[in-house]
């Protein structure tokens, strides 16, 4: 089980990530103005940006943990159930989401520091 606070900690550990309350109830994780993950602390789930191919794989592999996110799911976003997701898997998913929106120089610096992950 992953808590909402752990979700935030995973996201904020990524370079130049900021947290912002949006739409009055959603905490969004961003690089600049681009969102890569979001959630409501009371919902028990979070949304993470993913490629459509990755979304399909996640849903097929574990439909109890992953589902198509409301509103943004048509773009690949995944709704992740915190009670059943593995912390390492969520970290990897969030890192991939961060990479999809971060500037290339940030990604290059991150990979030089942490390996290609």
């Amino acid at each position: 089980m992953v808590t909402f606070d752990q979700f935030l900690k995973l996201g904020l550990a990524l370079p130049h990530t900021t947290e912002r309350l949006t739409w009055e109830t959603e905490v969004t994780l961003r690089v600049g103005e681009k969102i890569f993950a979001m959630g409501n602390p009371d919902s028990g789930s979070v949304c993470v940006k993913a490629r459509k191919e990755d979304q399909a794989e996640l849903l097929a592999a574990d439909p109890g943990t992953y589902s198509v996110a409301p509103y943004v799911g048509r773009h690949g976003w995944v709704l992740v159930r915190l009670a059943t997701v593995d912390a390492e898997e969520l970290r990897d998913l969030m890192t991939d989401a961060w990479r999809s929106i971060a500037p290339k120089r940030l990604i290059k610096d991150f990979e030089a520091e942490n390996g290609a992950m």
Side-chain angles (χ1 to χ4, degrees), residues 31-110:
V31 175
E33 291 300 313
K34 295 180 180 181
I35 300 170
F36 69 92
M38 61 186 156
N40 179 315
D42 301 322
S43 72
S45 61
V46 295
C47 291
V48 179
K49 183 175 176 62
R51 295 179 314 139
K52 298 269 302 169
E53 301 81 19
D54 295 333
Q55 179 193 57
E57 287 178 21
L58 290 165
L59 271 64
D62 189 353
T65 299
Y66 302 103
S67 58
V68 175
Y71 309 109
V72 291
R74 69 182 184 273
H75 301 293
W77 285 69
V78 178
L79 186 66
V80 182
R81 190 169 171 238
L82 293 174
T84 56
V85 71
D86 175 75
E88 284 298 309
E89 192 167 334
L90 181 59
R91 182 184 65 81
D92 291 346
L93 185 60
M94 290 178 69
T95 301
D96 288 345
W98 176 87
R99 275 190 182 106
S100 75
I101 59 128
K104 290 179 183 179
R105 69 170 173 75
L106 274 183
I107 297 168
K108 183 179 176 184
D109 292 346
F110 176 76

Side-chain angles (χ1 to χ4, degrees), residues 8-19:
L8 288 178
K9 186 176 179 181
L10 290 170
L12 292 170
L14 295 164
H16 294 265
T17 296
T18 59
E19 170 186 346

Side-chain angles (χ1 to χ4, degrees), residues 20-28 30 35:
R20 185 185 309 166
L21 184 64
T22 307
W23 307 297
E24 297 180 19
T25 59
E26 290 289 313
V27 176
T28 59
R30 305 165 177 251
I35 300 170

